[in-house]
Amino acid sequence: SDSDENGDGSIKSNVLKSILHHKEKVDLFPSNIELSGLEAALVNTMSRETVLRNCLKTLKDKYDYIIIDCSPSLGMLTINSLAFADTVLIPVQAQYLSIKGLEQLIRTISRVKIHINRKLDISGILITMANMRTNYSKELVALLHQNYDEKLHIYKEYIPMSVKAAEISAAGISIYIHDKNGKVAKAYEALVQEVLTWQK
């Protein structure tokens, strides 16, 4: 079929086989080492910007939400994610370089919206890894508000810096199991409510 010639058929099959059903009632489709070669493989693929959209569109009706966690790059994998998405939540660390790269990401999202995915919108900016006890974080957050308050929504809830959050990758469990009463877990719970309220 045409989809098989474009590589979509085999990718779609791998997607369905690789979905993990987690006991916290969340299905996961984790990446693996093979993803590192996909960027190069997509170069010669027809309609390479929409391969992911073609693979996942049959799954959209099975879920309330599909969340794609993108790497901090503007390569073909990120473009594929933007081509599939309805909205983009932009996490920005309370670091100078993260804020500096934000404008380029916003321009890329605008180009994708014009040329590939007209329904794509930015839901807002999420400040992460913030230590609001320091003047450095406070100054960067203030700079972020100064530059973007009139352009984009900035979520009031921010994700604080936490050693507990850094530990969950090694532990292989979610923050809600590792430290369910901690400040990061509570921040994410509050963020979910804010996102749902803002989208309404």
Side-chain angles (χ1 to χ4, degrees):
S1 68
D2 291 340
S3 61
D4 288 334
E5 291 174 4
N6 295 339
D8 293 0
S10 60
I11 295 175
K12 187 181 298 183
S13 175
N14 288 333
V15 167
L16 295 175
K17 288 189 296 184
S18 302
I19 292 176
L20 304 179
H21 304 288
H22 198 273
K23 62 183 179 181
E24 293 183 60
K25 298 182 180 180
V26 175
D27 285 354
L28 302 175
F29 176 42
S31 64
N32 55 44
I33 191 63
E34 294 180 5
L35 195 64
S36 61
L38 186 59
E39 189 92 29
L42 286 172
V43 171
N44 296 318
T45 300
M46 187 178 297
S47 302
R48 58 184 178 270
E49 297 89 353
T50 57
V51 169
L52 181 64
R53 183 169 71 187
N54 293 337
C55 291
L56 296 183
K57 63 184 179 183
T58 56
L59 299 177
K60 290 192 73 171
D61 293 337
K62 298 181 180 180
Y63 296 96
D64 295 321
Y65 296 94
I66 296 177
I67 300 173
I68 304 174
D69 182 18
C70 299
S71 61
S73 69
L74 297 177
M76 191 53 61
L77 295 178
T78 300
I79 299 299
N80 264 263
S81 298
L82 295 175
F84 172 72
D86 297 317
T87 61
V88 184
L89 189 154
I90 305 175
V92 177
Q93 292 184 22
Q95 300 286 338
Y96 174 72
L97 291 179
S98 295
I99 295 176
K100 187 176 180 181
L102 182 57
E103 191 63 40
Q104 184 178 358
L105 174 60
I106 292 172
R107 286 198 296 268
T108 298
I109 293 172
S110 297
R111 287 197 293 268
V112 171
K113 181 179 178 70
I114 292 170
H115 298 291
I116 303 174
N117 183 3
R118 295 200 177 269
K119 64 183 179 182
L120 182 65
D121 284 312
I122 298 174
S123 67
I125 296 172
L126 169 65
I127 299 168
T128 67
M129 299 182 69
N131 184 356
M132 299 306 288
R133 293 175 295 180
T134 66
N135 288 332
Y136 179 68
S137 286
K138 291 178 181 178
E139 290 170 1
L140 288 175
V141 170
L143 179 63
L144 193 62
H145 280 281
Q146 178 183 330
N147 291 337
Y148 292 101
D149 264 346
E150 296 183 1
K151 303 175 185 177
L152 296 170
H153 175 68
I154 299 177
Y155 288 103
K156 294 178 181 179
E157 191 62 47
Y158 66 89
I159 309 303
M161 182 77 74
S162 170
V163 174
K164 291 290 186 181
E167 291 173 350
I168 62 174
S169 296
I173 55 179
S174 79
I175 191 67
Y176 298 108
I177 295 177
H178 187 61
D179 188 31
K180 66 178 181 179
N181 295 317
K183 59 184 180 180
V184 173
K186 291 185 181 299
Y188 274 114
E189 288 177 358
L191 173 66
V192 169
Q193 295 304 315
E194 187 178 354
V195 169
L196 294 175
T197 301
W198 173 253
Q199 287 183 344
K200 290 179 181 179

